[in-house]
Each structure stands twice: as structure tokens, then as C-alpha cells.
Amino acid sequence: MRQFAQPILLAALIAAPLTAAGAQDLTAPFLKVTPRTADEAARIARVTAPTQDFSAAEKFEANPAGAATVRARTDADAFSQPSGNISFERELDFKLGNGLFKKLWVSSPSSTLASDGLGPLYNARSCQRCHLKDGRGHPPEGPGDDAVSMFLRISVPAGAKDEMTRIEAFLTSQGEALIRTRPDPVYGGQMQDFGVAGHPAEYRLDVTWEEIPVQMNGEHASLRKPTWTAQDLGYGPLAPGAMLSPRVAPQMLGLGLLEAIPATDILALADPLDADGDGISGRAQVVWSFEQDRPMLGRFGYKAGAPTVREQSAAAFAGDVGISTPLFPAHWGDCTDGQPACRTAPHGGDDARGTEIDAEGLDLVTFYSRNLGVPARRDTDAPEVLNGKRIFHQARCTACHVPKFVTNRLPDQPEQSFQLIWPFTDLLLHDMGEGLADNRPEGLASGREWKTPPLWGIGLTPQVNGHSYYLHDGRARSLLEAVLWHGGEAQSARDHVIGLTPQDRADLIRYLESL
């Protein structure tokens, strides 16, 4: 099967050749890794091979994060536990990182020197405000419900004379033709809907919904199609051709384990030219690492725009909270030259730290984010769950939502080291059809492509966050609606689900709820 083929040449990652130097840059490990032996590689191939037996749960299936799996709690803290195999000493670092994750930042100048530097424009005052209980955000539910756990990304087409970024220069040197975009000259790369005193918010998020009926075998459903707009613009009109794309805060669990999957295992799944003719391509995102100063495989974000947990965390501090870090040291966050008052506002980086959160603080938040534990599976041997698993495989959902990997051996990260994990993702970009298209390219991702999201923990979303909204903008009100929005490369899987009997369809959803 495609997802278990031998590693392909990196040339096939994009529809143009990569030089040997480029290939080396892309796959070089950023973590301290102990190479696998031939015996280990053979054992890994056996244990990650797809099952053909759906009469009982697979060995170790109940522990989706290996030894890092945590007990499945029945309260809202199910996503907030440290890795199950964390040591007592390292759990202290986890708790310190949690404190910084929850910290409410205040504007400068302030007497609380360790907490000032908010904004001046921002989406939330803390990481926790978006990732409530380390879970999933939601769209506004009606009048009076703000959009604190989501925002709009924004970009404009690049001009012919615009200077290329480093990643664009690298990919151009490899022969890749890019759909180039730039941040809005005034509003930047994302829109902030809050501002500190004296600084108007950039916008107010507004949405209208259109109901679309869907007829299935024996049942019917309704999908809600959103139209997102930026209202009450605080800094003038958007630039011509501005492209907006909504983003709901994703759940946080298992990030360190996703980071620990060998890049070669992910690249082996890519089939950008659909060489095997199965209708499913899968492309690797390639991004510039500001920390490593080289191209790297993108893994995090809805379009895999960040290569590591640390860079994703630093980017969120900058864009969401307006906090400077050693990776992104601009004290004004996402403010642009078109917002001079924001650029010259007081900030919290004037003391010995240099930036509003220093390297030690960023490392603690990164450690916390890497070690949010994945809860144990529930009811893995229940007959309806096993039937749902059979249907999940039969519909070929596993072509993108790849069940199993074995992580790298990481001597400096024992919690993530050499674990059999079940994240249900290939971390690749896939064309999901016009229905889910945001029509906003990002890096190598087109306006129709999205990274396959991991599914572990997804069934606990209502318990943790009190809602059942899914997909990048929360449009799906249930797991079934999320499936029905699939198109493009996933169209055949969607059609398979539509044709199921109501009982089999319910069993498929029951299986997803057990993850």
C-alpha cells in the first residue's frame, strides 16, 4: 500500500527536482536522534503494518501515545495532564510551562514587569484563552459571543518586484513554481480583534451561515456553509486582492510525539503525482526554520506552516498575544509599517530579558506543549467500535489518517523517545475540494490543500470544551458533518460513508469517538 512503501526520493515531494543539498537540508534532524538499526527498522515495519483483523483490538491500541499515554479522565482536564512517562523532576518544568501558558499578559508600562508587553494589538491575553483546557476553539455562537478562540489569517498576492523570502528563494532554486503571497501591508499576516488602550482593534469577526442539505442512505443531514467577513476595520480598507482564512485554535495534545516522527517516515507517504493511481496524493510542506536557519518539513498548523513546536509557540506569542521572543524579537508583534502608533508604543522588552518572554520562558512553554498527554482509548473492544474501525479502513480513511508510527530515539526527550503512537495523520497536505477551500495559498499549500489533522483525543472534545465543532473554522457541528465536508482526494471516502447503512454509519462515528 502507498503509505507503507519504501521511502521515495525527495524529488517527488514537489513536482520538480530538489538538489542533493536541498534534500539534505529538508530531512536533516533538528533533534538529537539515535539512528535506527536494521533490526529496529524491520520490527517497526511489522508493528506499523495495517491490520487485517477487526475481530479484536490490536495490541497496544488502547495506548495511543505509547508509554506517554495518560489515564482518560472524565472531566474537562482530560487534555491537560503531563506525559504518562514523565519524571518527577521534569514534571516541575511542565508545571512551570503551564503557568506561563496560562499567564495573563498586561500592557506596558506596568508595575508587573514580568507580565507586561501585551499587544498593542492581540487576539488573546494568554495562550490558555484560545486553547481553553488545551483543547479546541470554536466560532462565535451568537450575539455576545466573541471570537477569542479564532482569528482570520490574511495575505495578498505578491507583486512582481517583491523581494523573495528565503524559503521562496530556496524552492525557486529547486525549480518549484510558487503561488506567492505576502502579508497585508497594513494588517499584517493575521488580524487582531483586540487592542490595548489607545489602539483600536483591527476588526470584528463576522459570519453568516447557509444550510446545505445532504441526503444519505436512509438518513439526511445538513451542513452549514460559512461566509467570513472582517467588519469594523480599524486601520482602513484591506489591500486589493486580500485573502482571508479563518482559524480555530486546535487542540494541543501529543505535539511532541508528532514532532518526534522521523521525517523520512512522513516523506515516504508523499505521492504528489499520484504515481500509484489511487486518487490520493499527499505533499510535504516545506517551510523556513527561523531557529535552524534552513528549510525544514512543516508539521504544525492547519497548513503545516511551522516546523517545530518551539517555532509554532513563538509565532503564536507574536501573532496572537503580541509578545516578543528570541525567535521573533519584534516587540510590536504583527503590527506593520502601516501602523506606526503600534510600532512605537511602549513595550515590555526594556529590562534584562531583552524580549518580553526570554529563551528560558519560551523553552518552558515549548516543553509544556510537547508533553500534554494523549488520553487512553476507550471501549476499544466494543463490537460497534470494532465495526466502525473496519469501516474506517474499508473507506480508505487510513490513506491520509495513517494510524501508526514509531517515533525517533531521542536521548534528550525520553517522554517522546521510541514510542509506538497512533495519531491518525500523515502530516501531509491534501486537496480537500472546493467545499473546504479557503482560496489562500500558504507556502507550498494551495488554497484547496490542508494538512491531515491528527484524530487522537477527538472524541473527548465535548467533554473538554463543551462543544462539538470541528474543522479549521468550526463549521462542522458533529463528527459526521466533518466527514461530509470532505471532498477532493477524500471524495471517495465521503461517498462511501454516504452509502453506508445508518447502523454502520453510527458505528463509524462511535469508533471516531473512541479515539
Side-chain angles (χ1 to χ4, degrees):
M1 294 182 65
R2 177 186 64 87
Q3 61 265 40
F4 299 100
Q6 292 297 313
I8 60 173
L9 294 175
L10 270 193
L13 287 178
I14 53 179
L18 279 170
T19 65
Q24 184 177 7
D25 278 344
L26 183 59
T27 59
F30 70 97
L31 302 171
K32 185 178 180 181
V33 174
T34 301
R36 291 174 176 174
T37 66
D39 177 64
E40 283 179 345
R43 287 192 292 124
I44 289 168
R46 289 195 296 271
V47 77
T48 57
T51 185
Q52 304 297 323
D53 181 6
F54 303 103
S55 62
E58 296 175 67
K59 192 175 183 181
F60 309 122
E61 188 175 0
N63 295 321
T69 305
V70 298
R71 175 177 61 89
R73 298 175 59 129
T74 58
D75 59 16
D77 291 322
F79 293 167
S80 301
Q81 304 173 79
S83 299
N85 54 354
I86 199 170
S87 68
F88 177 80
E89 295 77 13
R90 287 166 72 88
E91 188 172 351
L92 177 59
D93 288 339
F94 178 88
K95 291 178 178 178
L96 290 171
N98 186 19
L100 290 171
F101 194 82
K102 292 179 176 179
K103 174 191 277 195
L104 291 174
W105 294 86
V106 298
S107 59
S108 299
S110 169
S111 60
T112 57
L113 297 181
S115 299
D116 68 340
L118 176 68
L121 300 175
Y122 62 97
N123 295 109
R125 289 182 58 200
S126 74
C127 307
Q128 181 78 230
R129 286 289 178 95
C130 286
H131 303 278
L132 183 63
K133 291 292 184 179
D134 308 295
R136 189 182 306 271
H138 65 85
E141 294 184 296
D145 183 21
D146 61 35
V148 73
S149 59
M150 72 179 302
F151 60 79
L152 290 175
R153 289 237 183 265
I154 181 172
S155 54
V156 298
K161 295 182 180 180
D162 286 357
E163 183 179 349
M164 283 193 293
T165 65
R166 286 179 289 180
I167 187 61
E168 288 172 337
F170 167 76
L171 292 170
T172 299
S173 73
Q174 312 303 315
E176 172 70 2
L178 295 177
I179 306 173
R180 296 171 59 201
T181 62
R182 290 287 181 273
D184 184 279
V186 173
Y187 290 94
Q190 75 183 59
M191 301 193 72
Q192 286 82 26
D193 50 355
F194 293 99
V196 301
H199 296 267
E202 289 187 325
Y203 81 118
R204 175 179 58 82
L205 180 64
D206 193 33
V207 60
T208 57
W209 303 100
E210 174 191 356
E211 292 290 336
I212 302 174
V214 177
Q215 184 61 48
M216 301 178 292
N217 179 23
E219 293 178 301
H220 67 273
S222 182
L223 304 180
R224 60 174 188 171
K225 178 182 178 181
T227 299
W228 300 96
T229 55
Q231 300 288 349
D232 302 335
L233 294 172
Y235 298 85
L238 304 179
M243 297 168 277
L244 301 175
S245 182
R247 295 286 191 276
V248 165
Q251 63 186 31
M252 296 283 293
L253 71 165
L255 299 183
L257 294 164
L258 297 176
E259 188 179 54
I261 298 173
T264 50
D265 289 359
I266 297 168
L267 301 180
L269 305 178
D271 184 18
L273 303 180
D274 193 18
D276 61 7
D278 67 351
I280 298 172
S281 302
R283 300 198 303 149
Q285 176 70 287
V286 184
V287 299
W288 191 269
S289 169
F290 293 92
E291 183 175 16
Q292 301 293 319
D293 197 33
R294 60 176 172 84
M296 286 184 63
L297 175 69
R299 300 176 189 240
F300 302 103
Y302 283 105
K303 297 206 177 197
T308 68
V309 175
R310 194 168 190 264
E311 289 199 37
Q312 177 77 356
S313 300
F317 269 120
D320 301 352
V321 196
I323 297 296
S324 57
T325 68
L327 282 184
F328 302 108
H331 298 304
W332 50 77
D334 190 47
C335 295
T336 67
D337 290 337
Q339 298 166 320
C342 180
R343 289 264 185 150
T344 57
H347 57 76
D350 289 328
D351 60 12
R353 290 173 296 167
T355 52
E356 289 158 336
I357 185 168
D358 59 15
E360 182 180 11
L362 179 59
D363 287 343
L364 287 169
V365 172
T366 301
F367 184 80
Y368 172 76
S369 301
R370 279 182 177 146
N371 281 284
L372 283 163
V374 179
R377 288 274 311 279
R378 286 84 52 211
D379 304 323
T380 54
D381 277 317
E384 63 273 21
V385 170
L386 290 171
N387 185 45
K389 179 182 177 181
R390 175 189 63 80
I391 295 165
F392 188 79
H393 283 249
Q394 188 180 65
R396 300 195 67 250
C397 302
T398 55
C400 300
H401 291 285
V402 176
K404 294 175 279 185
F405 291 92
V406 173
T407 60
N408 276 310
R409 285 194 182 275
L410 303 171
D412 294 338
Q413 292 180 211
E415 299 84 6
Q416 288 83 46
S417 181
F418 208 59
Q419 299 298 320
L420 171 63
I421 63 173
W422 305 67
F424 297 89
T425 177
D426 59 6
L427 295 178
L428 296 174
L429 301 171
H430 293 275
D431 182 338
M432 295 300 293
E434 192 58 34
L436 284 178
D438 67 348
N439 299 309
R440 177 185 172 272
E442 182 178 326
L444 286 180
S446 74
R448 292 166 54 106
E449 288 181 310
W450 301 93
K451 182 199 74 180
T452 307
L455 297 181
W456 49 13
I458 196 168
L460 294 175
T461 298
Q463 173 184 309
V464 171
N465 294 121
H467 67 75
S468 56
Y469 299 135
Y470 305 100
L471 300 177
H472 67 280
D473 56 3
R475 69 177 64 188
R477 294 163 293 192
S478 67
L479 290 172
L480 177 60
E481 285 190 25
V483 172
L484 295 177
W485 271 110
H486 283 49
E489 296 175 40
Q491 183 70 40
S492 62
R494 173 191 182 274
D495 292 346
H496 185 94
V497 173
I498 286 178
L500 293 171
T501 66
Q503 184 59 60
D504 278 350
R505 196 178 299 117
D507 288 352
L508 171 64
I509 299 305
R510 182 69 183 86
Y511 171 65
L512 295 176
E513 290 172 344
S514 78
L515 297 181

